[in-house]
Amino acid sequence: MSSAITDFGHHDAHGEPRGLLRWLTTTNHKDIGILYMLFGLTMFLLGGFFAELIRGQLIHPANHLLTPELYNQVITLHGLVMVFGALMPVTAGFANYLVPLMIGAPDMALPRLNNWGFWLLPPAAIVLVLPFVLKLIGIGNGPVDTGWTMYAPLSVQGGPGVDFAIFAIFLLGASSLMASINIVVTIFNLRAPGMTLMQMPLFVWSWLMTSFLLIAVFPALIAGSAMLLADRHFGTHFFSAAGGGDPVLWEHLFWFFGHPEVYILLFPTAGIMSHILPTFARKPVFGYRAQVYSYWAIAALSVVVWAHHMFTSGMPVAGQLYFMYSTMLISVPLGVLFFCWMGTIWQGALSFETPMLFALGYIVLFGIGGLTGLVLADAVADQQYHNSFFLVAHFHYALFGGPIMGVIAGVYYWLPKMTGRMYSERLGKWHFWLTMIGFNITFMSQFFLGVAGMPRRIPDYALQFAPLNMVSSLGAFLLGASQLLLVYNIARAAAGYGKPATNEVWDGAQGLEFTLPSPPPHHTFEEQPVVT
Amino acid sequence: MSEASRAARIMTQRAANRRLAFALLFVALGFLGFGFGLVPLYNSFCQITGLNGKTGEATARPAGGVDLSRTVTVEFTSTVMPGLPWRFEPMVRRLRIHPGEPANAAYLAVNLGGTRRDGQAIMSVSPEQAATHFKKIECFCYHKQALDPQQTRLMPIVFFVSRDLPQEISTITVSYSAFPVTEEVALRGENRRER
Ligand code: HEM
Ligand SMILES: [Cu+2]
């Protein structure tokens, strides 16, 4: 008999606080995972609201839905809310809920830290968005409006909204670091006896790599933001040329964080793919080792390619060449991942339940995102495409087509496990097809706009861009509206409607989490299973 | 398992978790330090390579004499950043000099505002391959310049272009941007009012 033991705040099921207090003080990994996911969903809706405002403004030229100032604020908040508020928390929620179940641990290794990590997020979101709300009722001069990349010198000169954003970044950084430290400790110390690293489910591997990356690069953003704050208020000149500083330094610091960040967002969903595809192809994972090594290769390369975001910043030719080739090199391990996913479904007995549909959509859309990334990685071509709508389309294929599709696939896959109820398969399929159609209408048109020369981050445009912008906006309204089906499906299952789910949920689903009842009891694996 | 041995296991497990967590925290702090360390790293990197138009400095005369076989055109431009009510222009827009030959140039600054305004000029050289070969002996850009209302100042630069300037470069553009400096951060205040 063996059991790993964690720092439970309260071990016995009796006398646990109820209601709001329970959620505030909970140290249970499933509770915290659910909190993270609900928070992420809320932010996804908020970020989506901002997105619809953007497309509403751009639906036709010379539109006056938003003032130019407001437009800048909305695009900035959209980016920050989606990346830091929606995607990062929701994937962290999956980690909290699933990693202990997948490795047969009773909980996360540091449950109290876990509680802290989550509860830093709502204040961070409030701090970030508060100036927006205050401005609506006429107080202050609005939130951060620099674009989510917060480039200096604009961010040095900007109003107090920038300070709020910096403060939010500090909170988010602390939260992410706590979560990733906790995940690494859990994975290293609490695996079920007999489970070696190379036997861990790939989702666990993917989060191990995500945590490593977060620990390595988020501090650079914190350092950069601290310098920005000092430039703004304490008379330093890190980024202001007037005092001998250099605005390009900010770009280096930001992208040293920012490029690995895209893989921080991507990895967890790459892991999710390797759970969903085998289940619905009725075949084992193809190329487990190759996938693990790809994660390592991608993570290692991702910290040395950042300046491909800065090809137009006046880099010398040698720098351009280095960053061009190293960036293109990343597509090799990424391609290995792709072939492993395709190898997994190759000649499988496929069935197309909603999670599988979203997983297949992920392969297609993320594939387009990756391939257009290669176009941008060409230092010469990028002189034209940089900061055009081509770039916007690229990273939406990479970020919505990848992580968001992957998260939705994961939600449909594990929702029956978490709630004990099946979602409506019919509505799930509707959700998939409307999302797929809406997404491609919205963003495929932006590739063409970008090639034709439409710049990003401008609230108005030349007349020749009008037809495709109309198309893109209509697509965005469809895409946004169809996400309400996701909300409905989740709410319905959480409220206890729908067919009860079996323990296994899906025929032949692999993994320790599927040996537990659906939903799993509050405390699981207090006696750790032995893996052979 | 007895209660005692169970309790002992809890303690060792907790200690191991804490140890690893603190180790990871130190790694994160290390990377925080690295983030700040990037500033000097980046500066010396630019200084050595001449990226970003950071120019070389020289206190002595050029070595190796004047290379009469080549002529290089040096162009001067100026920019005044928002928030500084100055007129700021080069006195000579174009000079033709030989590598290794010391030369003089000057900028004229006039404060058009009603109050004393401090400015600081920041220079940059393009193409960037030429930056390290543009050597300043004396430059007004080393110091902050304070101008009273309507005050005019002629500001010199003494420089040379080193002999090992790559052959393919025949024109060097030197641009100076005048930035406002005040303790009260005039830059920010002005910009906010402009909104
Ligand atoms: C083979 C893979 C990829 C390559 C070669 C690639 C290449 C690039 C390049 C060169 C840029 C900069 C273009 C410019 O600023 O002009 C860029 C921008 C971007 N990429 Fe990718 N990318 C790849 C995959 C991804 C992935 C997986 C994600 C996210 C999950 C992603 C997200 C982004 C984002 C968010 C931006 C724009 C950031 C901004 O300026 O606001 N990319 N990509
Ligand atoms: Cu990148």
Side-chain angles (χ1 to χ4, degrees):
Chain A
M1 165 166 107
S2 62
S3 61
I5 294 118
T6 53
D7 273 4
F8 287 122
H10 36 259
H11 199 267
D12 54 333
H14 316 285
E16 286 186 4
R18 311 219 151 263
L20 185 63
L21 199 61
R22 164 182 168 201
W23 293 103
L24 275 172
T25 57
T26 183
T27 56
N28 179 285
H29 74 100
K30 297 186 205 78
D31 286 356
I32 292 177
I34 286 170
L35 285 174
Y36 266 111
M37 287 187 258
L38 288 179
F39 178 81
L41 181 64
T42 314
M43 289 294 119
F44 180 58
L45 297 177
L46 179 66
F49 166 71
F50 289 133
E52 300 304 333
L53 285 182
I54 298 171
R55 286 314 319 174
Q57 167 66 19
L58 295 179
I59 191 165
H60 55 75
N63 196 0
H64 291 292
L65 178 66
L66 307 177
T67 61
E69 293 81 11
L70 190 56
Y71 181 82
N72 288 345
Q73 297 165 1
V74 167
I75 58 166
T76 306
L77 286 184
H78 165 69
L80 290 171
V81 164
M82 283 300 198
V83 169
F84 293 101
L87 265 176
M88 290 175 75
V90 92
T91 57
F94 273 98
N96 272 292
Y97 198 99
L98 292 174
V99 166
L101 296 188
M102 286 180 172
I103 63 173
D107 203 308
M108 298 295 283
L110 308 157
R112 273 190 284 262
L113 189 72
N114 210 10
N115 175 288
W116 267 101
F118 173 75
W119 282 109
L120 286 180
L121 287 179
I126 292 171
V127 165
L128 183 64
V129 181
L130 186 67
F132 181 79
V133 179
L134 288 181
K135 172 77 195 213
L136 289 184
I137 54 175
I139 302 173
N141 39 6
V144 54
D145 59 357
T146 55
W148 81 286
T149 51
M150 296 178 48
Y151 274 15
L154 189 59
S155 53
V156 179
Q157 298 162 0
V162 179
D163 299 315
F164 281 84
I166 292 172
F167 193 53
I169 286 175
F170 290 156
L171 291 175
L172 292 161
S175 163
S176 288
L177 289 175
M178 288 180 192
S180 24
I181 288 176
N182 203 353
I183 289 168
V184 176
V185 177
T186 305
I187 294 175
F188 279 169
N189 287 4
L190 297 189
R191 290 194 312 282
M195 184 183 276
T196 64
L197 283 178
M198 288 309 272
Q199 283 170 342
M200 294 192 313
L202 280 165
F203 177 74
V204 179
W205 257 114
S206 72
W207 248 105
L208 186 62
M209 301 315 296
T210 304
S211 306
F212 285 159
L213 275 181
L214 275 168
I215 291 169
V217 302
F218 215 126
L221 182 64
I222 295 177
S225 309
M227 292 177 212
L228 185 57
L229 196 68
D231 267 16
R232 290 169 55 78
H233 297 293
F234 308 123
T236 58
H237 299 283
F238 289 106
F239 308 122
S240 86
D246 192 336
V248 180
L249 172 64
W250 168 263
E251 297 184 27
H252 282 290
L253 285 165
F254 183 86
W255 289 117
F256 178 78
F257 156 81
H259 185 75
E261 169 72 6
V262 305
Y263 294 100
I264 287 167
L265 300 173
L266 180 78
F267 272 146
T269 58
I272 287 176
M273 293 296 280
S274 294
H275 289 249
I276 296 178
L277 295 176
T279 299
F280 297 100
R282 290 157 187 85
K283 279 178 61 198
V285 170
F286 179 86
Y288 176 94
R289 277 175 181 276
Q291 294 195 46
V292 172
Y293 297 149
S294 295
Y295 292 166
W296 277 99
I298 294 172
L301 282 171
S302 76
V303 289
V304 295
V305 299
W306 72 91
H308 61 229
H309 294 273
M310 302 164 53
F311 282 138
T312 59
S313 72
M315 235 193 291
V317 178
Q320 306 236 1
L321 287 175
Y322 164 72
F323 283 108
M324 169 162 101
Y325 288 127
S326 58
T327 301
M328 290 180 169
L329 206 58
I330 291 203
S331 49
V332 175
L334 215 53
V336 172
L337 275 186
F338 259 86
F339 285 114
C340 289
W341 297 334
M342 293 201 280
T344 303
I345 56 176
W346 185 253
Q347 295 191 329
L350 304 193
S351 62
F352 299 95
E353 286 86 347
T354 309
M356 183 62 164
L357 287 176
F358 274 97
L360 295 174
Y362 177 106
I363 297 185
V364 174
L365 299 183
F366 180 65
I368 298 174
L371 289 174
T372 51
L374 280 173
V375 176
L376 292 167
D378 181 326
V380 180
D382 189 58
Q383 306 295 320
Q384 180 181 349
Y385 298 141
H386 178 67
N387 276 356
S388 75
F389 259 83
F390 190 91
L391 172 68
V392 177
H394 156 67
F395 70 72
H396 282 91
Y397 270 87
L399 284 173
F400 192 112
I404 299 262
M405 293 290 280
V407 161
I408 296 177
V411 166
Y412 281 116
Y413 187 63
W414 282 292
L415 185 68
K417 172 56 61 189
M418 295 173 186
T419 61
R421 296 287 169 168
M422 299 303 289
Y423 57 88
S424 152
E425 194 58 57
R426 195 170 53 88
L427 289 181
K429 291 213 164 79
W430 270 99
H431 177 213
F432 170 74
W433 286 110
L434 291 177
T435 300
M436 199 67 180
I437 294 168
F439 176 83
N440 280 296
I441 295 177
T442 310
F443 292 105
M444 190 58 80
S445 48
Q446 296 185 2
F447 280 126
F448 294 99
L449 284 170
V451 173
M454 178 169 163
R456 77 192 278 211
R457 291 178 172 162
I458 310 259
D460 198 1
Y461 47 83
L463 281 179
Q464 83 242 35
F465 303 129
L468 281 175
N469 269 296
M470 170 71 83
V471 171
S472 179
S473 287
L474 294 179
F477 300 152
L478 174 64
L479 180 60
S482 49
Q483 301 319 306
L484 297 178
L485 287 172
L486 174 67
V487 178
Y488 175 78
N489 269 330
I490 294 173
R492 181 169 169 273
Y497 295 97
K499 245 181 33 231
T502 60
N503 293 3
E504 205 182 17
V505 184
W506 312 103
D507 286 340
Q510 299 291 317
L512 287 176
E513 76 270 29
F514 291 111
T515 63
L516 295 166
S518 306
H522 199 59
H523 294 301
T524 40
F525 294 132
E526 300 198 280
E527 297 303 327
Q528 289 198 283
V530 176
V531 179
T532 44
Chain B
M1 194 190 284
S2 76
E3 271 309 306
S5 77
R6 190 180 164 83
R9 276 178 51 86
I10 294 181
M11 293 322 288
T12 41
Q13 180 76 63
R14 279 187 185 176
N17 291 348
R18 298 249 161 90
R19 249 196 330 273
L20 184 53
F22 276 109
L24 291 165
L25 179 67
F26 278 110
V27 175
L29 289 177
F31 277 106
L32 189 69
F34 170 74
F36 285 103
L38 276 176
V39 180
L41 259 168
Y42 174 79
N43 267 334
S44 43
F45 189 75
C46 290
Q47 210 80 55
I48 294 164
T49 56
L51 297 187
N52 257 327
K54 292 217 166 150
T55 56
E57 280 168 30
T59 43
R61 293 268 138 151
V66 180
D67 179 358
L68 291 172
S69 68
R70 284 175 74 193
T71 314
V72 181
T73 306
V74 182
E75 298 178 335
F76 294 92
T77 66
S78 67
T79 317
V80 184
M81 298 309 278
L84 187 66
W86 276 18
R87 213 182 92 201
F88 174 64
E89 278 164 10
M91 296 299 288
V92 186
R93 292 199 177 270
R94 183 173 280 116
L95 278 180
R96 290 177 59 76
I97 56 172
H98 300 297
E101 171 191 16
N104 292 297
Y107 275 70
L108 184 75
V110 187
N111 181 358
L112 306 174
T115 54
R116 194 187 110 135
R117 297 305 296 269
D118 298 357
Q120 165 87 50
I122 305 290
M123 77 169 314
S124 132
V125 172
S126 53
E128 69 238 349
Q129 288 90 327
T132 44
H133 303 285
F134 185 90
K135 307 277 191 196
K136 302 181 300 255
I137 297 170
E138 177 53 57
C139 179
F140 63 90
C141 58
Y142 293 157
H143 310 285
K144 181 173 92 173
Q145 305 286 334
L147 291 184
D148 288 322
Q150 305 310 320
Q151 189 187 348
T152 300
R153 183 174 299 154
L154 198 61
M155 306 184 297
I157 326 159
V158 184
F159 69 95
F160 63 91
V161 175
S162 71
R163 286 174 56 107
D164 46 5
L165 179 76
Q167 284 297 332
E168 67 272 16
I169 299 175
S170 56
T171 305
I172 299 176
T173 306
V174 179
S175 76
Y176 277 94
S177 307
F179 285 87
V181 239
T182 62
E183 305 326 315
E184 295 312 313
V185 203
L187 177 65
R188 233 170 291 149
E190 299 274 341
N191 277 9
R192 214 171 279 154
R193 236 167 290 135
E194 272 166 26
R195 292 191 173 184

